[in-house]
Amino acid sequence: MSAVANESRKRSKKRYGGGQPNKRWKGSFLEVGMEGILITCNMNERKCTAEAFNLLNEYADKLYGPEKFEDDNESSSQEEDAEEEDVTEALKKEVAQLKSSGAKKKRRFQAFESGANNVIFIRTLNLESDKLVHHILSDLHSTKKKKSRVILRMLPVTGTCKAFQEDIVKYLGTYLEPWFKTPNCATYQIAFKARNSSHNKRDEIIKSVAGLVGKLNPKNKVDLTNPELTIIVEVIRAVCCISVVKDYTLYRKYNVQEVVKEDTPKPDVTTAKTETDTAEEKEKRDTEEKDKEEKKGKEENTNDKNVAQDNKEGDEGEVDGE
């Protein structure tokens, strides 16, 4: 019975991949050194990936032109040259072509596992992910045209490092120079979030990064209301994803669902103040008029008393004269 049980357990492990790492996902996780875009979604990662590819390719074609595949042109030219060579050389080239075509081609957008639920990572090649994402959000904000259903936020990743505080501070010391080192300066805020990572405390990371920005240029100031730049620090497991973005508040924290909504009009402070001043002035005028009426009434009463007194004195004088 024990031998049968052991054999059944081995078959079960082999069938479901137990006891061994899943080779299918080897090399498909987010790693240090990659650049791309973190995309959050609502429960449906597969549909999110499809929407992300459609959206990114649509705008990348506008900015950078259609994606080109040079391998296809090379293979066709090699086939033409092979006809002029002997059979042996032609066979060797054909074998080389088959091997190269079997290799995985690197596309400008490629999906990777992020290491967190409801978050995917799209690696980018030969383009600037921060400019691409900003262009997408700018267009969505101006047109108010909804182009996705499950994508929530699109965060560019232009730098990655190990997710330990000393590594993050060391990496940012050089990374942040183009934006914050003298003579450059800006108002800023820090957006930090950690997923599946418990060794980084939010307050400590923010304090360290803010101190580093202050050392680069004392004129850099924190602004939590409407900063010029936002330093995004996203920690997922052992990888820290970093970027510096513009219009983070205007584009609703880079949320593609929120950015297409109509902006709620803010109350006009000047109008509200004028209305308040008008009400206060009206109340003041009413009070002054009331005071004037009361004063006038008192004066009339005083005059009436004086007239009565004069009449009385006149009557008494007439009696004495008689």
Side-chain angles (χ1 to χ4, degrees):
M1 291 293 292
S2 60
V4 175
N6 290 334
E7 186 67 24
S8 176
R9 190 179 296 109
K10 288 180 181 179
R11 287 199 301 268
S12 177
K13 286 185 177 181
K14 187 176 180 180
R15 180 180 179 183
Y16 295 104
Q20 293 183 353
N22 194 338
K23 294 182 180 180
R24 185 171 66 91
W25 294 110
K26 185 178 180 181
S28 61
F29 279 92
L30 169 63
E31 298 176 356
V32 173
M34 291 183 175
E35 294 185 9
I37 303 168
L38 279 176
I39 300 178
T40 64
C41 62
N42 190 7
M43 301 302 292
N44 197 334
E45 292 185 16
R46 180 173 296 182
K47 190 171 183 179
C48 174
T49 304
E51 283 189 357
F53 280 140
N54 292 334
L55 192 62
L56 292 173
N57 279 306
E58 176 186 347
Y59 285 92
D61 288 346
K62 295 177 182 178
L63 285 178
Y64 307 104
E67 188 172 9
K68 297 179 181 179
F69 302 98
E70 297 180 355
D71 293 342
D72 296 339
N73 296 330
E74 291 178 0
S75 63
S76 61
S77 61
Q78 289 176 357
E79 287 176 1
E80 293 176 357
D81 296 338
E83 294 177 358
E84 301 177 0
E85 298 177 2
D86 57 16
V87 178
T88 305
E89 292 296 326
L91 288 174
K92 288 181 180 180
K93 285 195 173 184
E94 187 174 355
V95 172
Q97 290 173 19
L98 290 173
K99 289 182 178 180
S100 62
S101 63
K104 191 173 184 180
K105 295 180 180 179
K106 289 185 177 181
R107 307 287 298 271
R108 66 181 174 187
F109 299 119
Q110 186 175 351
F112 282 77
E113 292 284 320
S114 68
N117 292 331
N118 301 324
V119 183
I120 64 172
F121 178 75
I122 304 295
R123 188 184 65 181
T124 58
L125 292 175
N126 303 323
L127 57 84
E128 296 171 292
S129 60
D130 53 342
K131 291 184 178 179
L132 176 60
V133 172
H134 188 274
H135 179 71
I136 293 172
L137 289 163
S138 176
D139 184 66
L140 295 178
H141 181 263
S142 60
T143 61
K144 301 300 180 183
K145 186 176 180 180
K146 188 174 182 179
K147 293 189 175 183
S148 66
R149 296 184 63 184
V150 297
I151 295 176
L152 296 180
R153 299 173 70 200
M154 301 181 71
L155 302 175
V157 177
T158 54
T160 51
C161 64
K162 293 181 179 179
F164 296 97
Q165 184 169 340
E166 56 272 19
D167 293 296
I168 295 173
V169 174
K170 182 179 179 180
Y171 182 82
L172 287 175
T174 305
Y175 176 87
L176 295 175
E177 288 182 356
W179 296 277
F180 299 103
K181 187 177 181 180
T182 307
N184 299 322
C185 66
T187 58
Y188 72 97
Q189 67 175 347
I190 301 169
F192 174 83
K193 187 173 182 61
R195 296 180 174 89
N196 297 340
S197 176
S198 58
H199 57 272
N200 285 307
K201 294 184 179 180
R202 180 178 181 274
D203 294 340
E204 292 181 0
I205 294 293
I206 291 177
K207 185 177 179 180
S208 299
V209 176
L212 182 61
V213 175
K215 289 181 181 179
L216 291 174
N217 189 342
K219 293 182 179 179
N220 296 319
K221 301 298 180 182
V222 176
D223 185 353
L224 302 180
T225 305
N226 189 25
E228 296 173 333
L229 299 172
T230 298
I231 304 171
I232 296 177
V233 181
E234 290 272 338
V235 174
I236 303 179
R237 291 191 176 182
V239 181
C240 178
C241 302
I242 301 168
S243 63
V244 177
V245 300
K246 300 182 295 182
D247 302 317
Y248 188 72
T249 304
L250 176 64
Y251 295 154
R252 311 290 182 90
K253 299 182 178 180
Y254 278 35
N255 190 313
V256 299
Q257 302 297 330
E258 295 294 327
V259 78
V260 296
K261 295 180 179 179
E262 294 294 337
D263 297 329
T264 54
K266 295 182 180 180
D268 190 346
V269 179
T270 306
T271 306
K273 186 177 180 180
T274 304
E275 292 176 353
T276 305
D277 293 343
T278 304
E280 291 177 352
E281 290 175 358
K282 183 179 179 181
E283 184 178 356
K284 186 178 180 180
R285 285 198 301 271
D286 293 342
T287 304
E288 290 176 352
E289 290 178 359
K290 186 177 180 180
D291 292 340
K292 287 180 180 179
E293 291 178 356
E294 291 179 354
K295 186 177 180 180
K296 185 178 180 180
K298 289 180 179 179
E299 290 177 351
E300 290 178 352
N301 292 334
T302 303
N303 292 334
D304 292 342
K305 289 180 180 179
N306 291 335
V307 170
Q309 183 67 26
D310 292 340
N311 292 335
K312 183 177 181 182
E313 291 176 354
D315 293 342
E316 290 177 353
E318 290 177 358
V319 172
D320 293 339
E322 291 177 352

